[in-house]
Amino acid sequence: MANPPVEVQQYGQSIWYDNIRRSLIQRGELKRMIDEDGVLGVTSNPTIFQKAIGDSADYDSALESLLDLDPYTIFESLAVEDIQAALDLFRPVYDSTKGRDGYVSLEVSPLVANDTQSTIDEAKRLHARVNRPNLMIKIPATDAGIPAIEEAIASGINVNVTLIFSVENYLAVIEAYVRGLERRAAAGEDVSQIASVASFFLSRIDTMVDRILDNNIRAAQLRGDIGRVSLNNRLKGKAAIANAKLAYKRFLELFYNERFEALRAKGAQVQRLLWASTGTKNAAYPDTMYLDLLIGPDTVNTVPPETLKAFKDHGTAARTLDQNLDEAEQTLDWLAEVGIDLDQITRQLQVDGVDSFVESFRNLLDQVDAKRNVLRTGVMKRQEVAIGVHTDRVQQAIATLGKEKINERIWARDGSVWKSHPEVVGKIAQRLGWLETRRTIDLNRLKALQAATQDGAFEYVVLLGMGGSSLAPEVLSKSFGSRVGFPKLLMLDSTDPAYIKHIEDSINVSKTLFIVASKSGSTIETHCFYKYFFAKAGGNAQQFIAITDPGSELAATAEQLGFRDIFLNPADIGGRYSALSYFGLVPAALIGLDLDKLWANADRMMTACGENITPKDHPGLWLGAILGTLAESGQTKVTIRCSPSITTLGNWIEQLVAESTGKEGKGLVPVVNSTVGMPHDYSTDRLFVYIRVAGDDNDSTDNGFKTLQQAGHPCVTFHLDDAYGIAGEFFRWEFATAVAGKIMNINPFDEPNVTESKNNTARLLEHYQQHGSLPKTEPMLVEGGVSLYADAHMSHLIGELCYQHQYAHNTLGGMLASLINSSQAGDYFALLAYLPAFENVDEALENVRRRLRHTTRRAVTIGYGPRFLHSTGQLHKGGGDNGVFFQITYDDPADLAIPDAPYSFGVLKSAQAAGDLEALQSKKRRALRLHLNGDLIGGLHKLLDAVEMAAERRR
């Protein structure tokens, strides 16, 4: 059977392999190529090492022992290990060919390519460090490199001269080699053990020349000059081969003359021509043409992996190099005649080649640094991904993200990652400030605030805010509590009068510090909270801190009234991405959290997700690819379970993911704070994520998650050392959500449907001011203290469903059970509770959720209004039409006035509920309202009874 890579040896040519990586050596593939494919040497360069180290896990274990070193030292250590291992493999080849072959090349740093002395010093240092006789040091044939080549040869170093494009430059390389040998011989040194190759680059020449020829052809076609069109066409793909043959002609002249004969007599070897850049870049050309046409004595062809496979499969081994040398000169003359200035082209290619290697080398060091950082953080080791049949698609998505340079583009604040319209791209770019909080957030100022608060006059801190302004502080407060000597943090993000009164009754107002948190500075709920408690505090502005964007109405008010402090948050951070900004960190400081430890965890994740991290090592890209890819195949219900100490982290993730992805008819539905359940409780539309804190009481969740995973549900686990790891999770999920948005082809930084409910609420409040009451609607049914409200669309639908399922259409249980049992695979239920968030209400709603999930196998979410309007509300209206919405309202036992406002908190809450229901109804969502009169918990039990009625039909 023909084996062209071996057969070319009979014509005096050696095949070397233009690639190296650790797995090739360790798994025996390189040894196999030596034995079976006739590979007699290896060349390497910065680009090859960049791909080897950056795109594989081959070097991770070795890197673990080098993490305290700088990137260059790490790279060199890894590279030298590879080179030495390869040299040892090739040593038998070196010995059997008496030093003709068996070489492995290692390049001097491209950063010194234009510095002669530094190149010489680097060549000598690497030569000594590797300490193998069959090492070749690569030195570029630049003006600074030529004298370095001579000095290296004179010093007894084997040299691979790289980046030769022109015959003129090649002649200077030959002269440097010969002079180096002559100097060595004159000094009485041995010249028989010195080897050198001159790497003459090929395909890059044709690429540039062909581009000019194509321009010539287009111009000739416009002139109608058919002869010129034909000539230029004939010359395409000919320049590099002709140039190489002319170089070989000069080789024969200069190494078989009297001058070199004297060196040959002392045992000197010729400097063989090495054909480099031999992978065909034009698909129209034969993929082996830079091998087939350049086979001849005293030559080497270094071949990239795919080209070697092609040559072995269908290459032709025949002596072709020294045939038709005169025709090669004629081809070069014709190229000159059609306007090809080959001297200029080859000079530019050498400059570009050096620049390219410099860029690759810098990228290589960046990737080494990134890999070091990833391993230092240990983040990737602390995630478990068990997604079964989805694995290949997720890995393909990660590879695609890498090819499109999504990570680099996100860090460069490139809005075109998500959308193409220029205006939208610009807006997105102004929402990416969450990437830069390490630069924009003043940690020392936060520490000063913390020091001033410790053992101070305040017993409580009450945060007045909604959505992104309140959820991260809630996570931190519920996860850590307050340190001794610091005030306790309470959250107010509900317009429910009973809940507001509960907060008021829980504090001593005169000993409470209030944080007014609003990005826009005009959030209606936050403004009302502020007015209420500012009056309760007797107008003492020293009890208030503002967190808002520069130039907001709140910033102006705080300045005018003399608030205790004002934190102006970067305006380019959206509310739900603000956890690691002042919105999250000011409350953290006030309750005495260890800011350095919190920030270290955030910084660790930011580093692990850095701009130079390769996709396969990037925790943010991994999670984003999982979320986005599984969403495309229907796993849109993301069930998030957290260890007991960080339970409320799920609420923050819910807002981030739902509001970011729920638009354009798509959306991920986060399901948080629910019990784990059994596999039969779930349909196939689930992705399960478990955020596990070491040391917590995790046994129940561990066992439940294991059962779900074994049943085939896709499961992902993130391991945290302690609760402070939530700071890292803030950033992981922010980055992942942005990536998921890219995969889902939506803009994760806008909230186009949120204003619909806001506008409806404003209109209803205006009606209240004009008429003294909100618009009246008639219930569809009143039964047992529960009133059911539905629009005409839903009334008709419920009637049809009752008929289909044979439920009584005039009973509350029948109506609700028919709607429940009409849900389809992929649907979800949302309990929208405009109720006080008290413990007994939580328990009642959770019972409904648990039974509803068990009965239908559908995802069930719980949201307190109006809080969820700043969270899942966007998903409800902008996402897919797969939600079934039960809005739950009740008669407020007491109301609270809002200072200087024409309506009360009770009216505001009712207007918000009505406005949101209108928004859902306008989109023909399956939405109805259950109004509870009197016994709140008893009313919720009515809904539970309906679930049980639906369950009876399913048994």
Side-chain angles (χ1 to χ4, degrees), residues 621-679:
L621 283 179
W622 258 101
L623 177 56
I626 292 169
L627 293 171
T629 304
L630 267 66
E632 290 183 325
S633 60
Q635 284 71 43
T636 57
K637 316 307 184 300
V638 184
T639 300
I640 300 161
R641 182 73 180 176
C642 302
S643 285
S645 65
I646 61 167
T647 299
T648 53
L649 177 61
N651 296 332
W652 177 84
I653 295 173
E654 177 185 50
Q655 186 228 5
L656 173 72
V657 172
E659 195 168 39
S660 296
T661 66
K663 57 202 67 171
E664 300 182 31
K666 306 173 185 177
L668 295 169
V669 181
V671 183
V672 303
N673 300 329
S674 65
T675 56
V676 177
M678 298 298 292

Side-chain angles (χ1 to χ4, degrees), residues 35 63 114 119 153 192 202-203 424 603 647 665 742 892:
D35 295 340
L63 265 165
N114 294 314
T119 299
I153 294 296
S192 66
L202 301 172
S203 64
V424 177
D603 185 74
T647 299
K742 159 63 182 173
D892 294 317

Side-chain angles (χ1 to χ4, degrees), residues 178-430:
V178 173
R179 279 204 308 266
L181 290 178
E182 289 173 338
R183 284 173 53 192
R184 190 169 177 81
E189 302 277 359
D190 183 13
V191 297
S192 66
Q193 301 302 309
I194 307 300
S196 180
V197 293
S199 296
F200 208 86
F201 281 58
L202 301 172
S203 64
R204 299 186 196 183
I205 294 176
D206 277 338
T207 298
M208 186 171 283
V209 169
D210 284 1
R211 194 177 301 133
I212 298 172
L213 292 173
D214 283 335
N215 289 337
N216 290 349
I217 291 169
R218 284 190 288 270
Q221 286 172 334
L222 290 174
R223 297 193 308 270
D225 191 341
I226 303 303
R228 282 283 161 173
V229 171
S230 176
L231 176 58
N232 280 274
N233 262 320
R234 289 199 308 273
L235 292 173
K236 289 180 65 176
K238 299 292 195 299
I241 297 295
N243 200 41
K245 289 197 170 194
L246 184 58
Y248 187 66
K249 185 176 181 180
R250 298 291 180 263
F251 163 83
L252 295 174
E253 294 169 358
L254 294 173
F255 282 103
Y256 291 91
N257 62 13
E258 185 176 342
R259 179 184 179 186
F260 194 77
E261 198 58 42
L263 291 169
R264 195 190 310 275
K266 297 179 183 294
Q269 299 184 47
V270 299
Q271 183 188 52
R272 289 186 292 171
L273 270 165
L274 180 149
W275 310 126
S277 182
T278 55
T280 307
K281 293 179 171 58
N282 188 332
Y285 299 156
D287 55 1
T288 60
M289 79 175 198
Y290 296 118
L291 287 90
D292 294 340
L293 301 178
L294 294 173
I295 300 170
D298 295 324
T299 60
V300 177
N301 201 314
T302 188
V303 188
E306 292 305 314
T307 306
L308 178 60
K309 291 179 184 177
F311 188 58
K312 185 176 181 180
D313 179 68
H314 52 266
T316 302
R319 181 166 175 167
T320 53
L321 177 58
D322 50 7
Q323 297 176 9
N324 305 317
L325 291 179
D326 293 338
E327 287 185 14
E329 294 197 63
Q330 180 64 61
T331 297
L332 295 177
D333 289 341
W334 281 335
L335 286 165
E337 198 273 332
V338 298
I340 301 297
D341 187 341
L342 202 56
D343 288 339
Q344 180 182 359
I345 289 172
T346 53
R347 280 195 300 272
Q348 186 60 50
L349 283 171
Q350 186 178 77
V351 171
D352 292 346
V354 171
D355 290 346
S356 175
F357 279 168
V358 167
E359 181 180 5
S360 289
F361 193 70
R362 292 190 193 280
N363 290 339
L364 166 63
L365 295 183
D366 286 343
Q367 286 191 348
V368 169
D369 189 38
K371 176 82 77 169
R372 177 187 64 168
N373 289 334
V374 167
L375 293 174
R376 268 181 172 172
T377 64
V379 171
M380 292 299 290
K381 287 186 175 181
R382 292 198 289 268
Q383 73 174 33
E384 298 177 33
V385 177
I387 53 177
V389 296
H390 307 286
T391 301
D392 287 346
R393 290 192 306 110
V394 168
Q395 290 178 341
Q396 289 168 7
I398 291 170
T400 299
L401 292 169
K403 289 177 183 177
E404 296 180 7
K405 298 188 178 300
I406 296 303
N407 184 46
E408 296 92 323
R409 290 168 61 194
I410 289 176
W411 280 101
R413 300 181 67 147
D414 179 0
S416 68
V417 166
W418 296 276
K419 294 294 180 180
S420 59
H421 190 282
E423 183 178 354
V424 177
V425 168
K427 288 181 178 179
I428 291 175
Q430 294 305 310

Side-chain angles (χ1 to χ4, degrees), residues 66-87:
L66 304 171
L67 298 180
D68 292 331
L69 302 178
D70 64 89
Y72 183 86
T73 304
I74 292 173
F75 155 68
E76 187 174 294
S77 297
L78 299 175
V80 166
E81 286 180 14
D82 280 2
I83 295 295
Q84 287 176 327
L87 286 166

